[in-house]
Amino acid sequence: MAETGRRRISILGSTGSIGVNTLDVVNQLGGREAFDVVAVTGNANVALLAEQARTSGAKLAATADEKCYAALKEALAGTDIEVAAGREALIEAASRDADVVMAAIVGTAGLAPTLAAAKRGADIALANKECLVSAGELFVKAVAEGGGRLIPVDSEHSAIFQCLEDNQHHAVERIVLTASGGPFRTWSREQMAGVTADVARAHPNWSMGLKISIGSASMFNKALEMIEAKHLFNVAPEQIEVIVHPQSVIHSMVGYRDGSVLAQLGCPDMRTAIGYALSYPERPQLNVERLDFAKLARLDFEAPDEVRFPALRLARTALERGGVQGAVMNAAEEISFHAFCEGRIGFLQMADIAEQVMDDMVGYGAAASMDDAFAADAEARRRAGELIAQKEMAA
């Protein structure tokens, strides 16, 4: 804690939806009087990054894109805010002396910076799925050895975190992740085959970035959360369930061996989970919508269809196989996602490519080091790229 009594915070991925909401929560909780913003980082949205650095009083602003350095430097001219760019700059930002680091960089690009923060001993408010999906055991070990706390920010994992009773882990029977079902919940595979990225990004309940929105539509987002849950809560794969809940009011549940099920409810607003992570173990006063149960009227649930949404089946396969299969699935999906957004492959082909790469790399063992995890990630990306090129040639 800073000598002023303010909590020191760094926000990795401040220009994304989680980062923007984090700064909103910081302002709600007292702004500069309560928080000392050590660093903010972004990618190519230099104008927003510079504005965030100025308004928050950040000491450092770093862009992942080295080509944006000059523009960021110019945008912050006349201030004493330090400017940096490139992959190493993100790691440097994460290594600065902060009490809590919001890890909100999307994709495996967030793994190295978040790992640096964990090794330094910061509390990690984790919104980056890939840290646990690609290197779960190694990352959890790094957090423990660093001495910080790992507090989930995904609404589902935050809900589970809140429903886990102290000293009752032995009594946990199941973890139930809720899924909205996305925009294609009732669509057939034939209908989904021809959709574009603009159609797939339209989530019915949440306002999120492109990657997460399309991941929700394909349910790859939920697939990654299944793998995350295994590492976050130290449960067996068979204890992890997924239920489709279109209203997104129950954010997830924990079932205990006595038959009790504890659920966390709230309006769909990421600021609730963010505020809890930044204030844990306290519950802060937040200006978010309150649930009106009379207007809510009903809550619906249905079993997920793993034929129409095979990502869930792939996650179970990755959990059963172990090793680097989570990293492989994630890497292949990331490459396929970009190809889909560029119109190079169809919506359904994302899962096809991920499955084939997972099958091709089934012989790879567990990652003994982060280098092993990065190597598996790189090989999966290479193979996915080759498959995409083959599909383009055949089209």
Side-chain angles (χ1 to χ4, degrees):
M1 187 74 72
E3 291 182 4
T4 59
R6 296 182 297 166
R7 196 167 193 211
R8 296 167 299 194
I9 182 172
S10 290
I11 306 170
L12 309 180
S14 64
T15 56
S17 60
I18 295 293
V20 168
N21 278 313
T22 298
L23 284 167
D24 180 82
V25 170
V26 165
N27 286 332
Q28 287 197 42
L29 300 183
R32 296 194 191 193
E33 293 184 3
F35 288 90
D36 179 10
V37 179
V38 176
V40 290
T41 80
N43 194 23
N45 193 343
V46 169
L48 178 57
L49 181 59
E51 178 188 351
Q52 290 177 331
R54 286 177 181 270
T55 56
S56 68
K59 307 296 187 298
L60 168 67
T63 169
D65 190 341
E66 292 183 353
K67 296 190 296 295
C68 293
Y69 175 78
L72 183 60
K73 187 76 173 176
E74 181 179 355
L76 291 172
T79 73
D80 58 359
I81 299 171
E82 187 179 348
V83 175
R87 180 178 181 275
E88 293 302 318
L90 300 188
I91 295 173
E92 164 62 19
S95 302
R96 295 287 176 98
D97 193 14
D99 301 306
V100 60
V101 173
M102 173 59 70
I105 298 175
V106 175
T108 51
L111 180 52
T114 309
L115 183 64
K119 287 181 175 179
R120 191 187 53 74
D123 285 348
I124 306 297
L126 188 67
N128 173 285
K129 301 180 185 304
E130 291 73 17
C131 287
L132 292 173
V133 173
S134 298
E137 292 178 6
L138 295 171
F139 185 76
V140 169
K141 181 181 179 183
V143 173
E145 290 178 348
R149 299 177 297 185
L150 184 57
I151 307 170
V153 172
D154 272 351
S155 61
E156 295 84 359
H157 297 112
S158 174
I160 294 164
F161 187 74
Q162 294 178 56
C163 291
L164 284 172
E165 297 181 312
D166 290 342
N167 304 315
Q168 290 298 313
H169 188 278
H170 64 282
V172 173
E173 190 172 73
R174 57 181 172 149
I175 297 291
V176 184
L177 294 164
T178 58
S180 70
F184 306 142
R185 179 174 62 87
T186 61
W187 289 36
S188 68
R189 282 181 61 83
E190 290 73 22
Q191 288 175 304
M192 288 187 279
V195 301
T196 64
D198 284 340
V199 174
R201 72 184 301 171
H203 194 280
N205 299 332
W206 298 90
S207 176
M208 303 177 294
L210 180 65
K211 178 69 167 67
I212 299 176
S213 296
I214 292 180
S216 177
S218 66
M219 294 198 78
F220 259 108
N221 209 36
K222 201 58 51 181
L224 298 181
E225 289 173 8
M226 292 168 65
I227 299 173
E228 274 188 286
K230 187 239 184 228
H231 295 294
L232 272 172
F233 306 116
N234 192 28
V235 292
E238 59 269 21
Q239 291 179 280
I240 302 168
E241 299 179 15
V242 173
I243 190 75
V244 175
H245 169 48
Q247 290 90 356
S248 296
V249 168
I250 295 178
H251 296 142
S252 277
M253 298 171 273
V254 177
Y256 290 91
R257 64 185 182 184
D258 64 353
S260 299
V261 178
L262 302 189
Q264 189 264 339
L265 287 71
C267 292
D269 191 325
M270 284 306 303
R271 292 176 298 178
T272 299
I274 291 168
Y276 188 75
L278 297 189
S279 302
Y280 179 79
E282 299 296 324
R283 289 190 179 273
Q285 176 70 37
L286 290 176
N287 181 26
V288 297
E289 184 181 357
R290 268 50 175 175
L291 276 180
D292 185 329
F293 286 95
K295 290 182 179 178
L296 185 62
R298 59 182 288 173
L299 299 174
D300 297 307
F301 304 93
E302 58 193 58
D305 185 340
E306 295 187 5
V307 174
R308 289 185 299 127
F309 299 99
L312 300 177
R313 174 176 55 80
L314 297 184
R316 295 215 175 275
T317 298
L319 286 168
E320 290 165 3
R321 290 176 178 173
V324 295
Q325 282 279 293
V328 170
M329 185 188 83
N330 173 72
E333 187 274 334
E334 273 195 26
I335 295 298
S336 301
F337 157 76
H338 289 296
F340 168 63
C341 291
E342 294 163 1
R344 298 168 60 200
I345 62 171
F347 181 77
L348 299 178
Q349 289 179 306
M350 290 189 290
D352 293 341
I353 290 166
E355 183 167 21
Q356 186 166 341
V357 176
M358 288 172 67
D359 288 344
D360 289 346
M361 296 182 63
V362 72
Y364 283 61
S369 67
M370 281 295 174
D371 286 342
D372 291 343
F374 284 126
D377 176 272
E379 177 62 12
R381 289 171 188 274
R382 185 189 68 79
R383 295 190 185 211
E386 288 181 349
L387 289 173
I388 292 166
Q390 291 171 13
K391 290 181 182 296
E392 285 184 292
M393 291 179 65

